[in-house]
Amino acid sequence: MQKTNQQPEKIGAVCFQAADGERKLTLEEILLDETLVQGSLWAAPQAISEAGGVNDLLEDKKGYELLLRIAEKFCVVRADERKKSEFLANRADWRQLSFEDHPKPGDSQRKPWKTDCYVLSRYKKQLLDMQCFDEAVLGIVSEGGQEAASYLETMLAGSQEYFRIYDYTQPILIYVGDATCYQVLDMFARSLGKALQEHGCRVIYFDMEKQPMDDLLHYIGKRFKAVVGMQTYLFSVKQTDGRLIHDVFGAAEYHFVFDHPVWLRHHLMQVPKQMTVLTPDGNYAAFIEKYYGHKARFLPPAGQETYYGKKHRLYDLAFLGTYGDSLLDELKELRKNDRKKAHFVSRYLLYMRQDIAGTPEHALEKLLAYYRIAYTDQEFEEKFCSLRWSMLRLSHYYRRKVVEALLQAGLTVHVFGESWKNCPLRKYPGLICHPQAVGEDAFRVYGNAKLSLNIMTWHKDGFTERIANAMLQKSVVITDRTAYLDRHFQDGEELILFRLGHLQELPQRIKDLLEDEPLRAKIAENGYQKAKAGHTWYKRAEELLLLMQGQEGD
């Protein structure tokens, strides 16, 4: 703990009061006398982040408690209110700690002594060293009575409630360095980490590419606000005694899973006890809870805010998805080797096509009912797993149908990546192939596209970062419908929605949009504003923090 004569010189926070002069305040001084910092409080973003940010689990005195933690690592200064503008002149990015402390709903009155109980417990050693501990206890009890005495006892005992509050100020550990999917997962992880820091959180990274796995053992016994990973195998890592290593961490874990969970069943059969799985589709979350028995919530990936948009755009219509069309070939091969199974799969595909808005699980339920097959949940999950390939192949089948329908109507479609170079659609002169575009190159494509085509990978209640990224580059999104998009977006106002089973109207809608620049600009701007307000990584970080507080987002 920093003592007065060891106080670091780097200023982390300043309190402006009607007082002459300027002087440094030690942690011990602030701890003993709150009035020293009752004024206009300002802090450096770095200091807020390194201290662990605002503790939203406290009901009162949030600014004061944060200032104590800042004082552990930085210099805190009390300065003359009249010199505020001069003091802050070169600190334009500083933030004012203006927290309005209110009781939670249902509380009849403010109970600031609750924060005092927590502070006393956290800084017990310092108060004992200053021989002020007993006096602080008496002050709390005299203010809150027996209720305060009981609450203080639980705090001093290092109860679960104490560590729930304490851990909220600890670092968030994020796994990065995953090269999967052209390093998209790594980009997601770092984008979220940066956004969490902007919210005042302290973030540390474990780089899977650069750090040996044994380094994970160094985190055992340390406390975290949370551990976050993006579709990573690390949450399945075990110790030599067979226990999951993250159960030893004792922190809440949040695992972003972007594909249908059945593709990651091996990693979802057994997960850490405090894990919440985060998905881009509400149906996926329901599937995880029903068939794997784990807590899951809808929280999709988001878009990048850096703007690459061009006034004069090179592409009328761009599509960044890959080409894949092996469904019919695989069915032919299956008929040669196992006609009974081929008939089973064909009927499954028929049910999925008949109800394109429905989930593949629902189609399987209809299929099993048709064959009068009884099943348990485990048997259903196993059967669904054996058929999961058809879900992916069918999405590729429709991807080809959409693009071909546009090409047949005489539209030009710009596509990206090696998968398109030798595909059958090359026979259409309107298919323009470009090199692969990922990361910043993808953002530049969106910024150069008047319209951006998106075709879901069978997400029926979902949202993807491709939609957000295109909107944030003011490119009009053309996408197939999902239940989520129908609930939260307006067709023709913020984007263009179409149904996979009714493609006949889509080419003309696109032609009309390309010819109507004012309408296109209006939709692009509306989509941009919608994504800016609700689908950036800053917004996802905010929603994740609400989950950490035990609150559910919208």
Side-chain angles (χ1 to χ4, degrees):
M1 183 58 58
Q2 298 286 351
K3 299 297 181 182
T4 304
N5 60 356
Q6 298 173 315
Q7 193 75 10
E9 290 302 314
K10 190 171 184 179
I11 297 177
V14 58
C15 174
F16 295 102
Q17 295 180 337
D20 291 332
E22 174 184 316
R23 79 178 185 89
K24 299 174 185 177
L25 301 174
T26 67
L27 167 66
E28 290 79 5
E29 287 178 307
I30 300 170
L31 191 59
L32 290 178
D33 187 358
E34 295 179 26
T35 64
L36 289 174
V37 290
Q38 286 180 350
S40 176
L41 293 176
W42 291 76
Q46 180 188 1
I48 295 172
S49 177
E50 289 193 25
V54 180
N55 195 331
D56 288 313
L57 299 184
L58 296 173
E59 298 176 11
D60 219 316
K61 298 186 179 181
K62 295 178 185 179
Y64 172 65
E65 192 272 340
L66 171 58
L67 202 63
L68 288 170
R69 284 183 278 119
I70 290 175
E72 292 182 50
K73 299 173 178 286
F74 296 86
C75 178
V76 175
V77 170
R78 186 176 69 174
D80 192 330
E81 174 74 29
R82 293 167 294 184
K83 295 185 178 181
K84 181 193 292 186
S85 57
E86 178 184 341
F87 192 95
L88 296 175
N90 297 320
R91 299 178 174 88
D93 59 341
W94 273 36
R95 301 175 188 174
Q96 186 170 12
L97 306 184
S98 55
F99 306 113
E100 292 294 334
D101 294 326
H102 297 293
K104 291 182 178 180
D107 285 352
S108 59
Q109 59 183 6
R110 291 178 62 180
K111 297 177 181 177
W113 50 262
K114 281 193 170 184
T115 297
D116 292 336
C117 289
Y118 169 73
V119 167
L120 184 145
S121 301
R122 179 162 181 158
Y123 297 101
K124 178 180 176 181
K125 182 180 184 302
Q126 287 76 21
L127 290 167
L128 287 171
D129 289 346
M130 293 184 290
Q131 298 183 346
C132 297
F133 180 78
D134 291 341
E135 181 181 349
V137 170
L138 287 174
I140 290 172
V141 174
S142 64
E143 181 182 353
Q146 184 57 46
E147 184 182 4
S150 298
Y151 188 74
L152 177 59
E153 187 176 350
T154 64
M155 289 288 105
L156 289 171
S159 63
Q160 183 177 351
E161 173 65 7
Y162 171 79
F163 281 109
R164 184 180 75 89
I165 299 172
Y166 177 85
D167 287 347
Y168 200 78
T169 66
Q170 298 308 294
I172 296 175
L173 173 63
I174 299 182
Y175 294 129
V176 297
D178 193 330
T180 305
C181 300
Y182 305 100
Q183 297 186 322
V184 169
L185 298 181
D186 184 64
M187 181 178 67
F188 286 172
R190 296 183 188 277
S191 297
L192 178 63
K194 180 175 180 291
L196 286 167
Q197 288 177 313
E198 290 170 354
H199 277 282
C201 300
R202 184 184 170 201
V203 174
I204 58 176
Y205 297 100
F206 178 89
D207 194 320
M208 294 181 283
E209 184 180 23
K210 298 179 180 178
Q211 293 179 254
M213 200 57 56
D214 286 349
D215 280 5
L216 277 179
L217 301 176
H218 299 162
Y219 296 125
I220 293 177
K222 296 183 179 180
R223 306 201 69 89
F224 296 100
K225 185 171 187 172
V227 181
V228 179
M230 302 281 174
Q231 202 151 298
T232 174
Y233 67 90
L234 288 183
F235 289 119
S236 300
V237 173
K238 294 182 178 181
Q239 295 190 111
T240 54
D241 62 4
R243 288 186 298 169
L244 293 171
I245 192 169
H246 288 86
D247 281 336
V248 183
F249 280 14
E253 295 94 8
Y254 296 89
H255 191 184
F256 283 84
V257 169
F258 304 111
D259 297 319
H260 193 292
V262 75
W263 290 100
L264 293 102
R265 65 195 300 263
H266 176 71
H267 295 299
L268 294 173
M269 290 291 190
Q270 186 180 9
V271 304
K273 296 174 183 176
Q274 296 190 63
M275 173 174 283
T276 299
V277 183
L278 306 173
T279 75
D281 188 301
N283 295 322
Y284 294 178
F287 187 93
I288 290 169
E289 292 194 336
K290 180 173 182 178
Y291 293 103
Y292 302 126
H294 310 310
K295 185 178 179 182
R297 295 292 182 268
F298 171 79
L299 195 67
Q304 299 287 342
E305 294 188 66
T306 303
Y307 188 64
Y308 296 86
K310 302 294 184 180
K311 182 177 181 180
H312 301 290
R313 304 204 168 203
L314 296 176
Y315 314 128
D316 280 351
L317 177 62
F319 179 51
L320 269 70
T322 56
Y323 178 86
D325 187 25
S326 61
L327 177 63
L328 297 180
D329 292 337
E330 291 193 31
L331 281 176
K332 289 178 183 177
E333 190 65 27
L334 192 57
R335 288 192 188 100
K336 290 180 184 178
N337 301 317
D338 190 338
R339 293 184 65 84
K340 184 177 180 180
K341 184 176 181 182
H343 186 272
F344 188 85
V345 172
S346 295
R347 183 164 288 276
Y348 180 47
L349 292 168
L350 173 64
Y351 287 145
M352 279 198 280
R353 293 182 66 188
Q354 285 178 341
D355 184 15
I356 286 182
T359 66
E361 302 96 277
H362 181 61
L364 180 56
E365 290 171 0
K366 291 176 65 177
L367 178 67
L368 296 176
Y370 174 82
Y371 283 101
R372 298 181 181 179
I373 298 174
Y375 53 86
T376 63
D377 283 351
Q378 179 180 343
E379 290 168 339
F380 182 89
E381 189 274 341
E382 290 171 352
K383 176 61 70 175
F384 186 63
C385 180
S386 71
L387 294 168
R388 60 186 177 181
W389 62 272
S390 58
M391 172 175 50
L392 178 62
R393 300 295 184 271
L394 190 59
S395 68
H396 286 162
Y397 169 80
Y398 275 101
R399 183 174 293 182
R400 171 177 173 162
K401 280 180 67 70
V402 172
V403 174
E404 189 162 25
L406 302 180
L407 294 171
Q408 288 175 340
L411 287 161
T412 298
V413 183
H414 293 265
V415 294
F416 299 80
E418 295 294 321
S419 64
W420 294 94
K421 286 189 174 181
N422 298 309
C423 77
L425 299 184
R426 288 300 302 271
K427 65 183 181 182
Y428 294 100
L431 188 75
I432 311 298
C433 297
H434 300 270
Q436 186 73 48
V438 295
E440 288 191 12
D441 288 338
F443 306 147
R444 291 189 177 95
V445 170
Y446 292 131
N448 251 318
K450 297 174 184 176
L451 312 179
S452 291
L453 178 64
N454 175 70
I455 306 169
M456 295 289 188
T457 311
W458 228 250
H459 302 322
K460 299 305 174 183
D461 189 16
F463 182 85
T464 76
E465 80 287 349
R466 295 185 298 276
I467 294 174
N469 281 324
M471 286 182 165
L472 288 167
Q473 300 305 323
K474 296 190 178 182
S475 180
V476 176
V477 171
I478 316 289
T479 182
D480 53 321
R481 291 180 179 271
T482 72
Y484 178 85
L485 294 175
D486 282 337
R487 290 194 304 271
H488 295 278
F489 291 83
Q490 292 182 288
D491 181 21
E493 291 291 328
E494 298 151 339
L495 77 178
I496 301 299
L497 295 172
F498 65 89
R499 299 186 188 278
L500 291 176
H502 298 81
L503 297 179
Q504 61 273 17
E505 300 174 357
L506 181 60
Q508 191 59 50
R509 289 192 74 184
I510 290 176
K511 289 180 180 179
D512 292 343
L513 199 55
L514 288 172
E515 293 173 1
D516 192 338
E517 185 173 349
L519 176 60
R520 193 173 67 245
K522 174 187 172 185
I523 296 174
E525 182 63 29
N526 289 344
Y528 173 80
Q529 294 300 335
K530 186 85 169 187
K532 190 80 171 176
H535 297 285
T536 64
W537 282 108
Y538 186 84
K539 181 63 177 179
R540 290 294 179 269
E542 177 184 301
E543 292 166 335
L544 181 59
L545 291 171
L546 286 174
L547 279 177
M548 293 179 189
Q549 295 171 36
Q551 302 180 46
E552 298 293 334
D554 183 12

